Amino acid sequence: MSVRHVLLIDDEASIRTLAKASLELTRKWNVITVASGQEGIAIAQTYQPDAILLDSKMPKMDGLLTLKALKADTTTQNIPVILLTATTKVATQQEYAQLGARAVIVKPFDPANLATQIEAALHWET
Amino acid sequence: MRLLLVEDDAVLAQALSNDLAAQHYAIDCVTDGETGWNFAQAIAYDLIVLDVNLPKLNGLQLCQRLRRSGYQQPILLLTAQSSHTAKVTGLDAGADDYVVKPCTSEELSARIRALLRRQQNAATPVLEWAALCLDPSSRRVTYQGKLVSLTAKEYSLLELFLRYPQHVFSSSQILERLWDFADSPGDETVRTLIKRLRRRLKAVGIDAAIETLYGQGYRLKSPPETQLAEQQTSSNKGTFPPAIAALDGAEAALESQPLSQPAKAAPSPVQEMAFAAWSQFKEPMLERLSLIDRAVSLLQTGNLPPECREQAEQAAHKLAGSLGMFGFPVGSQLSREIENWLQADPPSSDIAQFKGLVDQLHHRLQGPPEELNSSDFADFILLDAPANPSSLLLVSTDNALLDQLQIAANPAEIAVTNASTIMDALEILFDETPDLVLVDLTVADAFQDNLKLLEAIASQFPTLPVLGLIAQMSLPDRLKISRCSRCRLLEKSVAIPDLLANVQELLTAHRFAKTRILALNNDPLIVQSLQRLLTRWRAQLFTLANPNSFWDQLHAIAPDVLILDVELPEISGIDLCRIVRSDRRWDHLPILFLTDHQDATTIQQILGAGADDYLAKPWSEVEFISRLGNRLSRNRLSHSRL
């Protein structure tokens, strides 16, 4: 199986570090991390990752706005997006689903199982 | 070594930066106190040089703030004021040393070396590792008295390892220490640099001095004689792990890990990585906690301004979302409770409760992190796939009808595919089940074949809507059709818009599209197959592997059907079923069990707990969809009668 390329968009440095290390450690995926929605969109356009992990709560441009922008852009609309959120409220889940997000991973996530969750959510072969 | 220079005199700052860079320090230079504070927050500097008179935040204030935030590395103050009082004030503010301008760059460098040495708690200015010596003042490296030739970056890396002999440096930490912002390369450069340094050391006879710790980074090993002593002690206990040194890159270490680590008691690489990350992020986490502490103090004085409440709330939110990953699951829970308390509307007045939560969080974070346990984490939630255009399979040899239908269906986002034979139709049905089948029954020769097709659809795809186009058909023919299929019949002469209206009505009526299904199952294979299957049927599936958050999710999702497994962690599916049935709001919720057990006792328990149906493994897709469809239609029927 070819190496997966994942883009992580999260303003929280600890999450970026831990998620990147976890995915690189458990699956040797290539993980690029950025701290804002704007950067994330720009990277997604050029890097064309296999999946985007997107934090829901970020300053300036939150996960929802970023998701909308990604889905509105023809170069990024087909990249599967998984939301990372610390809130367990499901009201916004429907909104994410309508915008085309594939799954929600609840923070704090299990670093040992993050890759497994992504694989299951996106039906990636393991 | 990476230094921060905060100096507003641009000329002096440039000169000092050049001098220090020439000595192979990585220098970031900023011109005001606020920016200095921000840089110091973002980067782990080995030493900070501060001018006293700075705009925005002066050097003394910045020094105090840094010390209050827990910054422990040396701070050197640089100022034109040479009075005794000024020096005392500076040192009282938390500075380690004081240099009066104008000073020579030699003096400044010597003070910096002395402070870095002090930090290392070494009396000797020469750093040593067995017979390897590094003299920071002359920048010479020797091994057994012979000069070791190193490039500037190799030298800096070796100096870093020698100054912190027990410390594990991640690639990003090495990047931070050795390069400044203006010239910051990627992890690959670090790997190359490590490789080069190892090669240089090996060339003079030092083998495997730098070890790779998988998932954490690189560390200078103990000198050979210490290793020998450790080896002897450990081998007596029979637990000495073979060294995993001299492996370039984490990948090689990963491969060696299972062999080189004792199977028992060794923390998993992910565990080690999480612990290492905690040591890296503990301070920023505690800073967040200090925002909550401030909220406690302000609440106790009776005045918590909205902006402070919001900051504390955001801090609690971030802590709730991250502490669990570092081995503080209780810390995450407490933070969530703190966040909820701060969000309460109307605001809670129980300050003692709030303070109690914050105290517990402090207490928890003072202890070491726990081992990660997957049951402490919530499961991910699958969202339904974005709506695709509906698909219609036309089984007909009438090309004119196909053309007309395709043109009319396109704006309605219905994709039309065509099959001219029953075999083609079956192939399409099994490969990519359409949302509706339209069968042309007007061709007399093909009537029997088409009946067989309708039979096959009814048995294999029982919920798939079917529309039949007929000419003026006799009653016996209608009877034949109605016996093998529940398809709706329309005369072929119907106008295309009317035909399309019928198609859309059936699509809407029969699709599971709005069906919300919540499935609790901790078998990833079952979850995957449910997801695949239900996505095909356009149902909206929500899955949970762990019943911890079940009750909240049940209310939030408000499913149309609940699918339970008998065996779930902590609470059994049967108990959950009873809980659901004991609440009036969920009395009518269809509950279907998927189970491994077929024994009469379990089945009795399942049905006795209030479940509507059960399916024992192995179950087929047809059976599952059929049972699910039955359950839904009965439920809808019973609701419509209420």
Side-chain angles (χ1 to χ4, degrees):
Chain A
M1 189 192 68
S2 59
V3 174
R4 301 285 185 187
H5 298 266
V6 175
L7 169 64
L8 169 66
I9 308 173
D10 198 312
D11 65 315
E12 173 68 27
S14 66
I15 306 273
R16 290 198 302 274
T17 303
L18 210 54
K20 181 179 165 71
S22 154
L23 299 178
E24 289 177 346
L25 192 60
T26 54
R27 293 292 189 281
K28 300 183 191 174
W29 289 347
N30 283 333
V31 184
I32 287 190
T33 63
V34 295
S36 71
Q38 293 94 325
E39 283 176 281
I41 293 162
I43 296 281
Q45 287 165 341
T46 50
Y47 179 61
Q48 292 290 312
D50 297 311
I52 297 173
L53 302 182
L54 176 61
D55 180 30
S56 62
K57 197 168 180 177
M58 293 186 287
K60 292 181 189 166
M61 191 172 190
D62 67 6
L64 208 59
L65 279 178
T66 309
L67 179 61
K68 278 183 188 165
L70 287 166
K71 292 298 170 189
D73 186 325
T74 51
T75 62
T76 55
Q77 63 188 195
N78 293 325
I79 303 170
V81 178
I82 295 176
L83 266 293
L84 296 176
T85 173
T87 51
T88 46
K89 292 169 194 163
V90 189
T92 46
Q93 284 176 15
Q94 284 177 31
E95 209 170 345
Y96 295 143
Q98 278 165 4
L99 284 169
R102 300 279 284 272
V104 169
I105 289 179
V106 181
K107 287 183 186 173
F109 55 78
D110 180 358
N113 285 318
L114 181 61
T116 312
Q117 295 200 339
I118 295 168
E119 283 166 344
L122 301 181
H123 304 299
W124 282 357
E125 283 176 23
T126 54
Chain B
M1 310 300 278
R2 188 162 180 170
L3 315 185
L4 176 64
L5 173 62
V6 193
E7 168 62 74
D8 65 328
D9 180 337
V11 177
L12 181 63
Q14 190 59 54
L16 289 176
S17 290
N18 291 346
D19 284 343
L20 292 170
Q23 294 166 61
H24 308 299
Y25 293 111
I27 309 286
D28 291 319
C29 188
V30 295
T31 53
D32 69 77
E34 247 345 301
T35 315
W37 166 251
N38 291 336
F39 270 57
Q41 293 303 292
I43 302 291
Y45 289 103
D46 296 291
L47 183 144
I48 298 178
V49 182
L50 281 180
D51 183 22
V52 169
N53 292 317
L54 289 168
K56 296 187 183 171
L57 187 69
N58 75 40
L60 293 175
Q61 290 168 326
L62 176 52
C63 188
Q64 282 169 337
R65 200 197 272 189
L66 285 166
R67 290 303 185 213
R68 272 203 305 271
S69 75
Y71 180 79
Q72 291 180 341
Q73 298 297 110
I75 298 175
L76 181 63
L77 281 178
L78 201 57
T79 181
Q81 298 169 323
S82 62
S83 73
H84 177 71
T85 321
K87 286 180 184 173
V88 171
T89 312
L91 296 173
D92 279 350
D96 296 278
D97 203 354
Y98 201 96
V99 177
V100 179
K101 293 191 281 191
C103 65
T104 62
S105 74
E106 286 79 14
E107 186 189 353
L108 184 64
S109 303
R111 298 283 188 108
I112 287 172
R113 283 198 301 273
L115 285 176
L116 291 173
R117 202 160 59 232
R118 199 190 300 166
Q119 187 65 14
Q120 186 210 354
N121 294 326
T124 166
V126 177
L127 305 168
E128 290 178 350
W129 185 89
L132 181 74
C133 301
L134 183 148
D135 183 351
S137 59
S138 66
R139 305 189 59 76
R140 275 165 56 93
V141 178
T142 57
Y143 181 64
Q144 293 173 338
K146 288 179 194 164
L147 194 65
V148 181
S149 167
L150 297 174
T151 64
K153 276 286 182 269
E154 289 161 6
Y155 171 89
S156 299
L157 180 62
L158 182 62
E159 184 185 7
L160 181 68
F161 281 134
L162 289 171
R163 284 195 188 279
Y164 302 94
Q166 298 304 318
H167 194 88
V168 181
F169 289 97
S170 67
S171 293
S172 56
Q173 284 171 329
I174 293 173
L175 281 171
E176 278 188 7
R177 301 283 180 126
L178 265 58
W179 279 271
D180 54 36
F181 274 123
D183 181 26
S184 190
D187 290 357
E188 186 53 41
T189 310
V190 174
R191 281 201 287 276
T192 310
L193 183 61
I194 293 271
K195 214 181 278 185
R196 279 195 347 231
L197 180 58
R198 280 177 176 151
R199 215 175 291 145
R200 297 268 191 191
L201 295 176
K202 195 173 180 180
V204 296
I206 307 169
D207 209 359
I210 299 162
E211 64 181 332
T212 305
L213 290 157
Y214 175 56
Q216 298 180 53
Y218 307 93
R219 175 173 67 183
L220 187 67
K221 286 175 70 178
S222 307
E225 58 270 33
T226 323
Q227 280 177 31
L228 189 64
E230 283 171 4
Q231 193 165 5
Q232 281 164 351
T233 320
S234 302
S235 61
N236 291 340
K237 298 173 191 164
T239 56
F240 182 72
I244 52 165
L247 293 166
D248 284 323
E251 295 81 3
L254 174 63
E255 281 152 19
S256 78
Q257 194 82 0
L259 298 173
S260 61
Q261 293 275 341
K264 263 182 157 180
S268 71
V270 173
Q271 183 77 70
E272 285 181 0
M273 178 270 291
F275 287 170
W278 173 243
S279 62
Q280 189 184 347
F281 289 103
K282 186 177 177 181
E283 280 187 26
M285 296 290 171
L286 293 179
E287 272 167 34
R288 289 205 169 118
L289 188 50
S290 69
L291 290 172
I292 302 173
D293 288 338
R294 189 181 58 174
V296 173
S297 308
L298 290 169
L299 278 165
Q300 285 171 332
T301 63
N303 177 30
L304 176 62
E307 64 273 17
C308 293
R309 178 182 286 268
E310 196 180 326
Q311 282 174 354
E313 198 184 306
Q314 282 172 2
H317 181 86
K318 294 280 187 195
L319 289 171
S322 50
L323 286 175
M325 300 183 308
F326 297 104
F328 295 98
V330 178
S332 268
Q333 281 167 23
L334 287 166
S335 304
R336 188 153 284 136
E337 287 174 45
I338 290 168
E339 185 190 5
N340 290 341
W341 193 95
L342 287 163
Q343 284 175 337
D345 188 21
S348 169
S349 57
D350 191 351
I351 296 165
Q353 182 207 8
F354 183 65
K355 187 174 182 308
L357 290 169
V358 178
D359 288 345
Q360 282 181 60
L361 183 55
H362 268 285
H363 178 72
R364 189 63 205 88
L365 294 186
Q366 276 162 10
E370 296 170 22
E371 275 192 28
L372 301 176
N373 184 339
S374 59
S375 65
D376 291 328
F377 297 94
D379 195 29
F380 72 100
I381 299 152
L382 279 168
L383 305 173
D384 70 334
N388 294 316
S390 304
S391 57
L392 182 154
L393 171 63
L394 171 66
V395 186
S396 172
T397 50
D398 185 344
N399 288 333
L401 173 66
L402 175 64
D403 289 347
Q404 284 177 313
L405 200 57
Q406 275 178 333
I407 292 165
N410 192 33
E413 293 198 330
I414 299 173
V416 180
T417 48
N418 179 232
S420 50
T421 67
I422 180 170
M423 292 311 292
D424 287 351
L426 284 170
E427 198 173 313
I428 291 172
L429 278 164
F430 282 104
D431 278 353
E432 39 187 320
T433 315
D435 301 303
L436 185 140
V437 184
L438 177 59
V439 186
D440 186 350
L441 297 160
T442 58
V443 184
D445 291 345
F447 187 70
Q448 288 306 322
D449 272 351
N450 282 331
L451 276 189
K452 283 181 191 159
L453 176 64
L454 292 178
E455 272 175 26
I457 293 172
S459 67
Q460 299 293 321
F461 306 92
T463 57
L464 185 61
V466 183
L467 205 53
L469 293 177
I470 52 170
Q472 285 185 336
M473 203 176 275
S474 64
L475 191 62
D477 283 343
R478 282 182 181 260
L479 188 61
K480 281 180 194 163
I481 295 169
S482 68
R483 277 183 178 158
C484 65
S485 167
R486 290 186 304 160
C487 81
R488 180 185 290 188
L489 296 177
L490 282 176
E491 289 193 1
K492 199 178 172 185
S493 56
V494 65
I496 291 292
D498 291 340
L499 173 60
L500 202 60
N502 273 278
V503 167
Q504 285 175 317
E505 190 191 329
L506 282 181
L507 283 172
T508 314
H510 288 84
R511 202 183 284 160
F512 279 91
K514 288 183 181 169
T515 307
R516 301 164 68 79
I517 299 169
L518 175 61
L520 259 89
N521 204 304
N522 59 355
D523 181 345
L525 289 175
I526 299 277
V527 171
Q528 253 187 30
S529 75
L530 282 179
Q531 178 63 25
R532 200 167 43 235
L533 196 152
L534 290 169
T535 303
R536 200 142 70 86
W537 290 96
R538 306 291 172 88
Q540 195 172 1
L541 177 66
F542 299 84
T543 59
L544 287 173
N546 193 310
N548 286 343
S549 58
F550 169 72
W551 199 246
D552 291 342
Q553 295 284 341
L554 179 71
H555 286 79
I557 294 165
D560 299 304
V561 181
L562 177 63
I563 298 176
L564 292 173
D565 191 356
V566 174
E567 283 168 353
L568 290 167
E570 296 177 31
I571 309 173
S572 81
I574 292 171
D575 283 338
L576 276 181
C577 184
R578 285 199 192 97
I579 294 170
V580 173
R581 286 297 183 234
S582 68
D583 191 309
R584 202 173 62 85
R585 282 168 297 181
W586 304 110
D587 199 24
H588 294 285
L589 176 69
I591 301 178
L592 186 66
F593 268 80
L594 295 179
T595 172
D596 283 315
H597 306 279
Q598 300 190 50
D599 58 281
T601 317
T602 309
I603 303 304
Q604 208 173 353
Q605 282 179 340
I606 287 174
L607 298 176
D612 297 288
D613 204 350
Y614 70 92
L615 265 178
K617 293 173 200 168
W619 38 268
S620 71
E621 175 179 340
V622 174
E623 198 178 7
F624 175 75
I625 289 294
S626 164
R627 299 273 190 102
L628 197 60
N630 285 343
R631 201 43 49 202
L632 277 169
S633 55
R634 278 185 209 170
N635 195 51
R636 282 173 187 155
L637 194 63
S638 67
H639 276 283
S640 67
R641 282 177 183 161
L642 289 173

